Amino acid sequence: MRRPLVAGNWKMNGSCEQNAALVDGLTSGDRGQQAEMAVFPPSVYVANVAEMLADSGIAWGLQNCAEQEKGAFTGEASAVMAKDLGCKYVLVGHSERRTLFGETDEVVATKVQRLVEQGIVPVLCVGETLEEREAGTTIERVGAQVKAVLDQFDSAGEIVIAYEPVWAIGTGLTATPEQAQEVHAAIRDMLVGYSADLAAKTRILYGGSVNAGTAAELFAKEDIDGGLVGGASLKAEEFLKISRAAG
Ligand code: 13P
């Protein structure tokens, strides 16, 4: 049985004051019975948010980590540091990292390795652009992104995959449950090629304009094991509703 994961990617939003209010709302509200919840604040706030979340049962993580272990890499934060902060998960290969910061599939695969070495669960983000969808190459593109990582991944380990169509991120355009399920099923099929056990246990999240109104239908699909939520995770009440939609 895969426990659903509802994860909030705060991106570059928040302040000390806003984060405290958001965390207070999440820890005092009803998250539902089923889902695990995780939040990904901007890295400068993670230590503070982690302190506020201690004993809450809500996990936290970084939105990115460096390819390197340590040293003269100004502005970067490493997987070792993420471990030091008690991060359970770290996002890797978010489409904004790929498009705005030039991260290739190879870079993403290296970051996954760094995290695995630290015992942190990578949340690998994959997804096609609108052009790729219209050209009919969605499965091919997403498959290549997954393969680049899994070819170097020990299938006895744990990974979470987040399918986030680029055209659905921050646009208000959610993939239909059927569109999302088709890609999730294709990812799960690919995982079988590595290990049946990996395919059965890996949570595949959907991301892209998920909100309290769309979550339940998406999460009801067989291969959708929760969500990676951007904008709607910044509002405690809405994020709690999304969490409850997972059961
Ligand atoms: P939105 O939910 O704001 O579309 O963002 C999705 C996302 O990129 C989460 O990582």
Side-chain angles (χ1 to χ4, degrees):
M1 237 338 252
R2 295 183 294 268
R3 185 177 181 201
L5 174 62
V6 173
N9 176 6
W10 296 1
K11 306 194 179 183
M12 199 168 73
N13 294 294
S15 66
C16 291
E17 198 180 333
Q18 287 168 353
N19 298 345
L22 179 50
V23 168
D24 188 49
L26 295 178
T27 51
S28 59
D30 175 10
R31 310 203 289 272
Q33 303 304 311
Q34 270 286 110
E36 178 183 7
M37 182 178 277
V39 295
F40 297 86
S43 58
V44 288
Y45 293 125
V46 169
N48 186 238
V49 168
E51 241 172 72
M52 293 190 283
L53 286 175
D55 304 322
S56 68
I58 299 175
W60 59 87
L62 298 181
Q63 299 171 9
N64 176 39
C65 76
E67 279 177 85
Q68 302 83 2
E69 280 172 55
K70 66 171 188 171
F73 301 100
T74 301
E76 294 289 279
S78 70
V80 177
M81 293 168 186
K83 179 72 179 173
D84 197 26
L85 286 174
C87 296
K88 179 171 181 186
Y89 302 99
V90 168
L91 304 183
V92 200
H94 190 279
S95 81
E96 287 145 21
R97 302 289 324 164
R98 292 177 190 262
T99 54
L100 303 173
F101 300 95
E103 288 189 12
T104 61
D105 288 349
E106 278 166 1
V107 167
V108 172
T110 304
K111 292 183 175 191
V112 167
Q113 287 308 311
R114 292 285 92 83
L115 293 167
V116 168
E117 285 160 16
Q118 296 306 316
I120 293 172
V121 179
V123 179
L124 169 67
C125 304
V126 298
E128 83 287 3
T129 62
L130 186 58
E131 295 72 48
E132 287 161 343
R133 173 157 286 268
E134 286 174 347
T137 57
T138 296
I139 303 294
E140 197 182 311
R141 179 66 194 120
V142 168
Q145 290 172 328
V146 172
K147 185 175 180 335
V149 167
L150 287 192
D151 280 354
Q152 301 180 46
F153 187 79
D154 175 356
S155 50
E158 184 178 354
I159 190 166
V160 173
I161 298 176
Y163 168 57
E164 300 202 296
V166 178
W167 50 271
I169 294 176
T171 58
L173 290 173
T174 316
T176 64
E178 292 70 30
Q179 282 174 321
Q181 167 60 26
E182 185 192 1
V183 180
H184 283 232
I187 294 171
R188 187 135 3 245
D189 274 353
M190 267 193 83
L191 295 177
V192 174
Y194 292 88
S195 136
D197 180 53
L198 183 69
K201 74 183 181 190
T202 298
R203 289 173 292 180
I204 307 176
L205 314 183
Y206 169 78
S209 298
V210 174
N211 60 43
T214 55
E217 267 192 304
L218 286 160
F219 298 168
K221 290 291 181 191
E222 189 182 342
D223 290 296
I224 302 182
D225 307 308
L228 181 55
V229 186
S233 74
L234 299 172
K235 295 168 250 169
E237 262 322 305
E238 178 143 23
F239 195 47
L240 288 166
K241 272 190 202 149
I242 293 170
S243 178
R244 292 197 296 273

